[in-house]
Amino acid sequence: MNPALPASHRTAVTRRSALKLTMMGLAGTAVGAGGSAVFPWLAKGRPGPYRFFTDAEAELLVAICEQIIPRDDVGGATDAGVIHYIDRQVAAGMLREHAPTYRRGLEAFRLTCLAAHQAAFTELSTEAKTEVLRTIEAARADPAPWGEPAQDAFFRLVVDHTMQGFYGSPRHGGNRGYLSYRMLGLDYPQVLGRNKFRSLEP
Amino acid sequence: MNQRHVNAVVVGAGAGGGIVAKELAAAGLSVVLLERGGWISFEQHDHDELFTRLQLAYGPDERHPRMAQTTPGQWRRVISSESGYSNNAACVGSGTVFYGAMGWRFMEQDFRMRTTYGVPENSTLDDWPISYADLEPFYEKAEREIGVSGDMTTNPFSPPRQRPYPMPAFPYNREGRMLKGAADRLGWHAFPIPMLRNSVPYRGRNACIGCRYCVGFACEINAKNGSHNTVIPAALATGNCELRINVMVSEVTVDERGRARGVHYFDGQDQAHWQPADLVVLAGGAIETARLLLNSKSPLFPNGAGNRHDWVGRNLQGHTYCGAEGHAAEETYDDVGAGATIAISDFNHGNPGVCGGAMLCNGFIVTPYSFTRVRPPGAARWGKAHKDFQRRYFKHRLEVHGPVQEIPLFESRVEVDPAVRDHWGIPVARMGGRRHPLVLEIARFIAAQAENWVREAGATDIWTRVPTGLQGAGGQHQAGTCRMGSDPTTSVTDRHGRVHEIDNLYISDGSLHVTNGGFNPALTIMALGYWVGHHIVQDWRGGRPR
């Protein structure tokens, strides 16, 4: 675990991103030694374990997603790795068309929160966070920072993608350990029928 | 590139096209079957809900845009994953690869709606030029050759049938058993849904193992029956049929004597080809078949093939779904797929003061991500309330719904867009119009019956689903755009699916439906495929049809 990361991130670090962090550490050395040709993308020095989001964007998005599916007696969006689903799919997957929307939407969201509360979203109480989200969901926030996407449309998009990351197959980056299936009491993989199945076909 | 001349070219390898291709090939005609998509296999998507819901998993891909109506006179460009597209899959088998596979026969009244109900104001409601009795042997052939599991002995509204289903019905799941008891108490006549799915091993294919992932997915063990695993392999096995995939047909050529000469198409590398044939069969579905006819202009038919009287593309219909659902104290979910097991036909016809109706049935298993959209109006979509709803309802949902038979309107139609073209430069389809206002009245009536049923079965916190507006013709189960009829001035084909005035051009898909029944239409499209195929073969005189 990288102590330099903000607390809200530490829970979101998967083995994959931890590996990438390790590689970043190595790369720091390698770049210093003029070895950037080995990992040319690392020479850009982009910080953080994410493929698309900056650390600051990811920190904000993690906090939003955690309000959309909060942890209670079972895990929430953060525990399920929803941020990694969205990051992976926006970077180069099923949601790549939404990349500019995320970039602009998260910035508008940040400005909205600062203007209303003089504080970052991540620093607010749960009640205040909920209030900010309800305001944006209902398109009642000051529209000034919001052009395209509109605030309510952006929120609906994040809600939908959070659901995808929480309930979709782990192969896409989220639903870690089939957390949501366990919450719903669904076997995975399915057993039913298979134990008795003999195919007629070769 | 000029292809070798064949007896028949069939455009579209879905339910209707696959069957016609097989019927013709088995009768000894040389056939080329053209399909715009490819072969889909289970391994490509597994049981991955996001892949099948978010990706263009079964096509068509982005090269096939359409124009969807936003407000009357306004359209926007959409691709197949977007709402308003009215999609049918683009792959060998089309929707039959991943459908829910209900195998319904329409009822006798569904073929004579005008006689039964009169003509509602502004509508083009009419009788079919063929009766249920005409189609009955072909329904039976579809049930046997494709494979249906069912049992209608407890349904007094079932149309008459000569022979029983070839496979026994599927048992009710837990929700079905609860609904069966409720139907009995209400005096309704519940029965198992006929399914194009194997309840026992059938014709060398496996019996269903009741897995969770059916509608929306290709079958893991080949127990779900479509054209891709029955008639199309059979057509290929005759040695008379060649299937070409990933090809896009742009035009049917009609000569100056009113005969179809063949089709132009583009292959997977965008190379243009000419496929001459003695006869042409269109089976691209209600939207693409109409589009292709409209794009096939000739001196004899300057407004598109078969469109002398402006009926091509008219009467676009789908189904207006409605229903009711609620929470049951007892678990309804038993993890036995496909989920939909029980239906009633008590409200398809004979509803006082209402034109037509719908069957009602319980639903397929809704997988966890899709379940996030199962909410009563106004329910919170996020936060702890979201999680609580998922946990409370996922295994306790009690739900029934039905496809309301729509009332056709001349103004609801498929046209070709004057400006927008697809990847190959072919003008795209644009859909416009609305649903008849009476459809909402029927939907409210059917939803009220659905509410009674789930309440009697033990549901509380019930909400109903009825469409709020009339916008958007088409949607699911598109049909009606090239209706069959005996009057060439008010229909597109004759009773055998042959286009008026073009003796060797046929249609074999949902376009032919004069009305679309209160049932899922797949088996009717299949029966029509056998019907059209039978008449082509009967009229065939070697080299050219009569």
Side-chain angles (χ1 to χ4, degrees), chain B residues 218-285:
Chain B
C219 182
E220 180 182 6
I221 60 161
N222 211 14
K224 184 157 68 176
N225 304 321
S227 61
H228 63 294
N229 57 359
T230 57
V231 284
I232 291 173
L236 300 179
T238 63
N240 296 331
C241 178
E242 180 188 342
L243 170 66
R244 294 186 199 139
I245 60 173
N246 301 314
V247 301
M248 184 62 193
V249 175
S250 57
E251 186 185 350
V252 182
T253 303
V254 179
D255 69 16
E256 68 285 352
R257 288 174 305 164
R259 293 189 62 79
R261 303 294 300 273
V263 301
H264 289 284
Y265 69 88
F266 295 96
D267 68 17
Q269 284 72 48
D270 296 341
Q271 297 301 305
H273 296 260
W274 161 243
Q275 176 61 63
D278 293 319
L279 64 93
V280 176
V281 183
L282 304 185

Side-chain angles (χ1 to χ4, degrees), chain A residues 61 64-69 77 82 85-86 95 102 109 133-134 136-137 151-167, chain B residues 369 372-373 375 379-383 386:
Chain A
L61 187 53
I64 297 171
C65 295
E66 182 63 18
Q67 292 303 310
I68 291 169
I69 304 184
V82 165
Y85 166 78
I86 300 177
L95 308 179
Y102 270 100
F109 189 103
L133 293 178
R134 288 214 174 112
I136 288 173
E137 181 185 30
Q151 49 187 298
D152 50 341
F154 179 67
F155 184 70
R156 280 198 302 274
L157 191 80
V158 178
V159 168
D160 194 31
H161 295 170
T162 303
M163 299 303 167
Q164 292 166 13
F166 194 73
Y167 294 103
Chain B
Y369 164 59
T372 66
R373 296 175 184 196
R375 290 296 185 278
R381 297 292 173 135
W382 55 279
H386 155 78

Side-chain angles (χ1 to χ4, degrees), chain A residues 67-76 85 94-96 129-130 133-134 137 155 159-160 163-169 171-172 180-181 183-190 192-194 197-201, chain B residues 44-51 54-55 62 82 201-202 204-207 209-213 220-223 333-337 367-369 372-373 375 381-384 386-388 390-391 394-395:
Chain A
Q67 292 303 310
I68 291 169
I69 304 184
R71 181 190 298 165
D72 49 15
D73 49 330
V74 298
Y85 166 78
M94 299 184 283
L95 308 179
R96 59 190 176 277
K129 283 177 181 163
T130 306
L133 293 178
R134 288 214 174 112
E137 181 185 30
F155 184 70
V159 168
D160 194 31
M163 299 303 167
Q164 292 166 13
F166 194 73
Y167 294 103
S169 170
R171 70 164 64 157
H172 302 300
S180 61
Y181 276 55
M183 178 182 96
L184 296 174
L186 278 179
D187 292 338
Y188 207 91
Q190 287 186 104
L192 189 92
R194 280 165 180 68
F197 178 64
R198 298 275 181 279
S199 180
L200 294 176
E201 297 168 74
Chain B
Q44 284 170 267
H45 58 76
D46 201 318
H47 286 146
D48 187 330
E49 185 186 359
L50 294 189
F51 184 76
L54 306 184
Q55 295 288 79
E62 300 88 345
E82 296 174 307
Y202 191 71
R205 294 189 308 280
N206 298 302
I209 58 173
C211 101
R212 193 186 292 155
Y213 303 91
E220 180 182 6
I221 60 161
N222 211 14
Y333 185 87
D334 53 7
D335 211 17
V336 178
T367 41
Y369 164 59
T372 66
R373 296 175 184 196
R375 290 296 185 278
R381 297 292 173 135
W382 55 279
K384 183 160 164 48
H386 155 78
K387 248 174 140 181
D388 289 343
Q390 292 283 98
R391 283 182 289 220
F394 188 80
K395 290 194 168 181

